[in-house]
Amino acid sequence: MAAPGAPAGAENGSEAQLAAALADVPELARLLDTDPYLKPFAPDFQRRYKKFNQFLSSIGENEGGIDKFSRGYESFGIHRCTDGGLYCKEWAPGAEGVFLTGDFSGWNPFSHPYKKLDYGKWELYIPPKQNKSVLIPHGSKLKVVITSKSGEILYRISPWAKYVVRENDNVNYDWVHWDPEDPYKFKHSRPKKPRSLRIYESHVGISSHEGKIASYKHFTSSVLPRIKDLGYNCIQLMAIMEHAYYASFGYQITSFFAASSRYGTPEELKELVDTAHSMGIIVLLDVVHSHASKNSEDGLNIFDGTDSCYFHSGPRGTHELWDSRLFNYSSWEVLRFLLSNIRWWLEEYCFDGFRFDGVTSMLYHHHGMGQGFSGDYNEYFGLQVDEDALVYLMLANHLIHTLYPNSITIAEDVSGMPALCSPTSQGGGGFDYRLAMAIPDKWIQLLKEFKDEDWNMGNIVYTLTNRRYLEKCIAYAESHDQALVGDKTLAFWLMDAEMYTNMSVLAPFTPVIDRGIQLHKMIRLITHALGGEGYLNFMGNEFGHPEWLDFPRKGNNESYHYARRQFNLTDDDLLRYKFLNNFDRDMNRLEERCGWLSAPQAYVSEKHEDNKIITFERAGLLFIFNFHPSKSYTDYRVGTALPGKYPLLCQTWQFDFNIF
């Protein structure tokens, strides 16, 4: 029936809208059957899907399909031709003139002008030397010179540059032509898509216990074996796309096609990915398409002399909180750039998928700033949604899963937008997973604000199980966010200063260390088993890393002391860190054996507030957690769906129980 006060015919109108949406979106009926509360928003799904489909059709008509459209890196930038010459191409719609300069020309800014083409494109062909060798050899430094319409002469790095370096004390990066004679050849095929996803969130630069920037080679030789031993089957690599400011954690990208040179060469990153594949580990890239650095000398900003080009002009093109630029997702060439960037990392480096950063910022014009999300469906539809950005994400997921059906995409979305992790054929965003970002916040809140005896079992279970049906989540107790300076890791909240004095096995257990180690295990296990369809851990947190993470900056005198991970602590038999590390390994190996992450969501049979007991079943296993700070139980009775004998597989807290 129509809503109270609705005009006559409103019910028929809404029925007609629903019918039209069901006709236009191939599998919308399946989404609405799963969640009937979405029916009033069927026209929104219809509009999004039609816009997505129109882009696909236009790309097909004008570019020969998304496969060809996403190969922009094969023509833009600089490329060696079969005759030994070089073909150069750029998109600079606001430029008056475009030139190439560098070592090869003695840095003469105007000796090699580009020819202007339609739609803001420019091209240049540089013939080979008389001996048929290229004029610009591998390792040469280059710049694109832009003459703006206002008469300025601007030196820029090509947006398609494959390698940039910052030497000595230089403020800006230099563009280095990367075209080795013997590029790295991958030796191992991509592993199969894991049944259960167990992610080790990693940062190459901080992966050494020494106070320095670690290398791709160090990570390959020293960290990959640890990850394999711990039972993780997926690595999520952060801060790989080149970023000028190290302390940004990789979230202020300057060169989108360049693997960060601070850790080594592109070939060494390829070796890292290839070696992970040889161990059966898939590798995801932390991709940042939500915003870009404001740098202009070595970034995309003001590339052609205008404040637009790749970004929205005016206030819409700037993220006030992040002090960065925002892409114009409705621009044809911006779509080419971003979709080609996705394909580049998939094909050139053989990544197996992506964790998309800042999705909430992309989805809404308000970017999530000063905005709470209560779960009211009206918050996810209407004029506040940036449908250009949403359609880009649909196109990106369509491309990724068309090229490589076993690829994995994860959305970092705090808003909980419905259908973000539903197929595009249903009008959804097309992601495979979203991060369960409320879970780590809940654990920090409990440790920070409540005594153990005041923990609410029902509230813990609600947070761990509150996810959309058929939309998969990656659960985690803590990630890199909780490790950063200014916050505390779970281990620090639990044990604080005693981690420096009482973690030796030669010293007696103190109440703080005893409680801290046991709760650290319980928090991780219940999050792993109940919180989602995948699990994530940030490097070092598995053994309770004793220090926060702080990159070198002016505020700490450019120190690397906290920009490291002390894996050596787990190798010391005299320290208790090894027990936490070993528990993490055993937990992952047990999941590999039993497969609870790939099983249907758990059935919770008990949330007892007085006894502080949580009991649930999943994947044929019975999980019983006693969170009481002082009571253990003998002959504790719990109900279960399947009668029989239950062998004990894992025990993190002392108590006995009976099953009836």
Side-chain angles (χ1 to χ4, degrees), residues 374-435:
S374 65
D376 184 332
Y377 277 14
N378 290 290
E379 296 168 345
Y380 307 115
F381 303 94
L383 295 178
Q384 67 265 35
V385 177
D386 187 339
E387 292 195 346
D388 291 332
L390 178 54
V391 167
Y392 161 67
L393 292 172
M394 294 171 72
L395 288 168
N397 277 301
H398 171 78
L399 173 69
I400 293 163
H401 293 111
T402 299
L403 288 175
Y404 297 98
N406 289 325
S407 292
I408 293 170
T409 58
I410 303 170
E412 189 213 21
D413 171 43
V414 71
S415 75
M417 175 177 276
L420 187 64
C421 299
S422 299
T424 54
S425 57
Q426 296 180 12
F431 284 97
D432 296 300
Y433 299 86
R434 60 155 45 95
L435 292 177

Side-chain angles (χ1 to χ4, degrees), residues 291-358:
H291 63 130
S293 168
K294 288 181 72 173
N295 286 18
S296 56
E297 294 290 330
D298 51 10
L300 289 183
N301 193 24
I302 320 180
F303 174 70
D304 65 351
T306 71
D307 78 331
S308 53
C309 196
Y310 288 93
F311 310 110
H312 289 291
S313 61
R316 189 180 176 188
T318 301
H319 195 296
E320 294 181 4
L321 186 63
W322 295 344
D323 193 31
S324 54
R325 297 304 313 273
L326 297 172
F327 287 105
N328 180 0
Y329 300 105
S330 65
S331 165
W332 191 265
E333 292 303 326
V334 171
L335 284 179
R336 186 199 307 277
F337 179 79
L338 294 175
L339 291 174
S340 296
N341 189 236
I342 289 289
R343 185 164 191 163
W344 167 258
W345 293 105
L346 284 171
E347 302 213 336
E348 183 70 14
Y349 289 92
C350 290
F351 279 96
D352 302 291
F354 303 92
R355 179 264 204 182
F356 279 75
D357 170 70

Side-chain angles (χ1 to χ4, degrees), residues 13-60:
S14 62
E15 289 180 358
Q17 287 180 322
L18 176 59
L22 290 169
D24 284 337
V25 186
E27 297 183 6
L28 180 59
R30 184 175 298 181
L31 175 67
L32 300 184
D33 285 344
T34 302
D35 186 354
Y37 290 102
L38 288 173
K39 284 184 179 180
F41 305 100
D44 293 84
F45 288 105
Q46 177 190 30
R47 185 175 60 255
R48 296 171 182 181
Y49 182 81
K50 287 181 73 173
K51 194 169 185 177
F52 159 74
N53 210 35
Q54 286 166 2
F55 261 114
L56 275 182
S57 298
S58 295
I59 289 170

Side-chain angles (χ1 to χ4, degrees), residues 166-186:
R166 183 163 58 189
E167 296 179 344
N168 303 322
D169 295 327
N170 290 354
V171 174
N172 298 318
Y173 275 79
D174 292 319
W175 173 19
V176 175
H177 181 50
W178 193 260
D179 186 22
E181 288 295 327
D182 297 308
Y184 184 86
K185 292 181 175 60
F186 283 83

Side-chain angles (χ1 to χ4, degrees), residues 340-572:
S340 296
N341 189 236
I342 289 289
R343 185 164 191 163
W344 167 258
W345 293 105
L346 284 171
E347 302 213 336
E348 183 70 14
Y349 289 92
C350 290
F351 279 96
D352 302 291
F354 303 92
R355 179 264 204 182
F356 279 75
D357 170 70
V359 169
T360 305
S361 175
M362 298 174 71
L363 291 176
Y364 307 97
H365 292 295
H366 53 64
H367 307 300
M369 293 188 292
Q371 183 77 22
F373 292 95
S374 65
D376 184 332
Y377 277 14
N378 290 290
E379 296 168 345
Y380 307 115
F381 303 94
L383 295 178
Q384 67 265 35
V385 177
D386 187 339
E387 292 195 346
D388 291 332
L390 178 54
V391 167
Y392 161 67
L393 292 172
M394 294 171 72
L395 288 168
N397 277 301
H398 171 78
L399 173 69
I400 293 163
H401 293 111
T402 299
L403 288 175
Y404 297 98
N406 289 325
S407 292
I408 293 170
T409 58
I410 303 170
E412 189 213 21
D413 171 43
V414 71
S415 75
M417 175 177 276
L420 187 64
C421 299
S422 299
T424 54
S425 57
Q426 296 180 12
F431 284 97
D432 296 300
Y433 299 86
R434 60 155 45 95
L435 292 177
M437 301 179 73
I439 295 176
D441 291 343
K442 174 55 62 179
W443 291 124
I444 294 297
Q445 181 196 28
L446 288 173
L447 293 172
K448 185 178 181 180
E449 300 177 9
F450 295 90
K451 297 177 181 178
D452 293 8
E453 55 267 32
D454 295 330
W455 285 19
N456 185 291
M457 300 296 102
N459 188 248
I460 291 173
V461 169
Y462 174 79
T463 303
L464 288 169
T465 58
N466 181 28
R467 53 190 186 272
R468 294 185 56 78
Y469 180 58
L470 297 182
E471 293 193 47
K472 295 180 181 179
C473 285
I474 303 294
Y476 58 106
E478 53 186 339
S479 70
H480 69 275
D481 288 326
Q482 287 72 41
L484 288 171
V485 65
D487 205 338
K488 287 184 180 181
T489 62
L490 290 178
F492 243 126
W493 280 113
L494 289 163
M495 295 176 278
D496 213 328
E498 288 202 25
M499 296 189 75
Y500 295 109
T501 58
N502 296 325
M503 286 295 276
S504 171
V505 297
L506 302 178
F509 259 128
T510 65
V512 169
I513 295 298
D514 190 14
R515 167 187 178 268
I517 287 179
Q518 300 306 330
L519 271 178
H520 201 275
K521 292 177 181 179
M522 293 177 69
I523 288 170
R524 281 183 287 156
L525 181 58
I526 196 171
T527 301
H528 205 307
L530 187 59
E533 290 70 37
Y535 179 76
L536 177 143
N537 166 68
F538 178 64
M539 62 190 310
N541 287 353
E542 70 276 5
F543 64 85
H545 197 281
E547 293 176 344
W548 56 81
L549 177 62
D550 189 16
F551 288 91
R553 54 188 173 85
K554 288 182 179 179
N556 63 14
N557 295 318
E558 303 296 336
S559 171
Y560 284 87
H561 180 74
Y562 295 112
R564 58 185 180 134
R565 298 280 92 179
Q566 298 181 63
F567 291 109
N568 55 302
L569 296 177
T570 66
D571 300 330
D572 192 333

